[in-house]
Amino acid sequence: MDPFIAHLNAISPLTAEALKDLSSRFKYTSFKRGEIINQEGTICRRLFFINKGLVKHYYIHKDRKFIVRFFSENNVFTVLDSFILQTPAVFTTIAIETTEITMLSYEDIEELCKKHHCFETIIRKIFGMAATINLKRIKEMFDGDATELYESFIIEYHDLLQRISLGDIAGYLGISQVTLSRIRAKP
Amino acid sequence: MDPFIAHLNAISPLTAEALKDLSSRFKYTSFKRGEIINQEGTICRRLFFINKGLVKHYYIHKDRKFIVRFFSENNVFTVLDSFILQTPAVFTTIAIETTEITMLSYEDIEELCKKHHCFETIIRKIFGMAATINLKRIKEMFDGDATELYESFIIEYHDLLQRISLGDIAGYLGISQVTLSRIRAKP
DNA sequence: TTGATTTTTTAACATATGTAAAAAGAAAAT
DNA sequence: ATTTTCTTTTTACATATGTTAAAAAATCAA
C-alpha cells in the first residue's frame, strides 16, 4: 500500500470512494541535496509527503540562519501559513538529502475536503497536531538556556542526529554555532 | 445573534440544522479577575469563547513566569494540546479580568464534527489558524532581541496594552521585568 | 595519496540580559 | 487621609551568549 495513503488512513479511516479520488490526484517528484522545494516569497501551493529524505524550513534574519523545523520520511509537511492562507512564504524549504515526495495541490485538498467528510477529518487532525507541535516548540524556546535546548533536541531528534549538521542544529536552537560547540565541549 | 455563533458562521457557514444542534449544547459561565479557568495538570475538556474579558495562558519554569498567549473578547481559545490530545495541561489558564464565557465540551465538539460536515470545516480552519499563529510566534521569538520583541508586541497587542501589566508583558516576551523597564527607559 | 573544501572547535573580547535588592510611584483598602 | 499592597523603575553585579578570527579536524575530489 502507498505509504502516504497508509499514513492518512491511520489518522482517520478513508472511505473507498475518498481513497480512490485521493490517489488519482497524487503527483510525484524528487529533490536533490540542496535543492529548493519552496522559496521564501513564493506561495506554497502543495501539501507534501516525504517517502524518503530530509527537509528543512529556514529563514535568514540579520545574517543569522534560523531553522524552523526538520521533516523526514513518512511525514506530511507544507509551509503552514503560506499554504493555509495562500500567501507568500516567509521561510525557504530546502532538501538536506535527496528527497522523494508525493504531493497534493491546495485546490485538490480543498476539493477533497469538500467532497469527503472523512478527508476533512484527517486534515482537521493534521492541523490540530501541527498547532500542538508548534505550541510545544514555543514552550521549549521559552524554557531553556542553550544547554537544555540542546539536550532536549538530542532526545527528540535522536534518530536524525547523524543526518543533521551542527550548524543546522545551532540554527534550529536559535544559538550560534560557537555556543553550540561550547556546550558540546563541556563535560 | 449570539456572538459565538456569528464568529463560527463567519469562519465557514453553518447549516440551519448544525446551528440548532450547536446552540443547544452551549454552556455559559464566568470567572472573576484572578480565577483559574484551567489548572496546569488537569485536562482541558472545553473549547471557550470569550464574550467579554481577558485571559492568559502561563506556566512557571525555574521561578520565572512565562506567558504563552493572551485571549480577549470575541475569540475562541482552549489549552490546545491538552484539548486535542485530552492530556493534562502544561499551562495554567487564568482570568486577567472578569471574563464571560460560552463553551462547548470536547465530546460535543467531536460529536458535532462527526454529525455536521460544515462544523468540522470550521474546526479545521480554527486549528489551521492556531497552527499558523503559533508558527508566527516561533518566528518572532527567534527574530528579535528584547527591544524588537517589545516593539512588535506593542503593535500586535495595541488595543490590549492598557489592560496588561508590564510584568505580564515581560512574561509574554520571555524577558525579565527589569529588562523590559530598561527598554522602556531608553529614548 | 594529496590538495581543496567544508565542518567543527577554540580563543579573545564585547554586550545584552538575568538576579537581587532597594527606591519610587500608583492603586486599593480601611 | 493614611496605611497597605501592588506595580514599576533603578542600581550594581554576574554571566551566558554573540561576534570575529584563526586553528584543527573531517570530508570530498582528483
Side-chain angles (χ1 to χ4, degrees), chain B residues 64 145-146 174-176 178-179 182:
Chain B
R64 294 178 64 189
D145 57 11
I175 63 178
S176 72
V178 176
T179 300
R182 279 197 276 249

Side-chain angles (χ1 to χ4, degrees), chain B residues 34-134:
Chain B
E35 270 192 288
I36 289 175
I37 297 173
N38 192 268
Q39 172 74 53
E40 180 189 338
T42 74
I43 297 174
C44 180
R45 305 187 183 280
R46 304 196 131 95
L47 189 79
F48 303 90
F49 177 82
I50 306 183
N51 294 293
K52 185 172 163 299
L54 184 58
V55 157
K56 67 181 173 192
H57 281 343
Y58 77 93
Y59 70 102
I60 308 279
H61 181 74
K62 293 187 177 165
D63 283 335
R64 294 178 64 189
K65 187 174 188 169
F66 294 99
I67 289 165
V68 178
R69 198 121 114 67
F70 301 102
F71 297 93
S72 60
E73 43 281 318
N74 269 77
N75 280 105
V76 169
F77 80 92
T78 184
V79 189
L80 205 64
D81 58 332
S82 174
F83 181 81
I84 288 179
L85 304 168
Q86 288 291 290
T87 50
V90 292
F91 311 123
T92 295
T93 308
I94 200 172
I96 295 182
E97 302 170 355
T98 301
T99 299
E100 285 158 24
I101 277 175
T102 306
M103 55 197 185
L104 287 167
S105 74
Y106 178 79
E107 290 72 23
D108 281 340
I109 298 266
E110 286 294 321
E111 224 173 295
L112 287 163
C113 276
K114 201 169 286 175
K115 278 172 72 178
H116 309 285
H117 189 163
C118 62
F119 188 80
E120 179 127 51
T121 304
I122 291 173
I123 299 296
R124 191 248 297 179
K125 294 199 176 182
I126 287 177
F127 284 175
M129 285 310 299
T132 296
I133 287 168
N134 286 345

Side-chain angles (χ1 to χ4, degrees), chain B residues 153-167:
Chain B
F153 180 85
I154 287 181
I155 294 165
E156 189 169 355
Y157 282 86
H158 180 264
D159 27 346
L160 295 182
L161 267 190
Q162 287 69 11
R163 297 158 69 184
I164 302 176
S165 76
L166 291 178

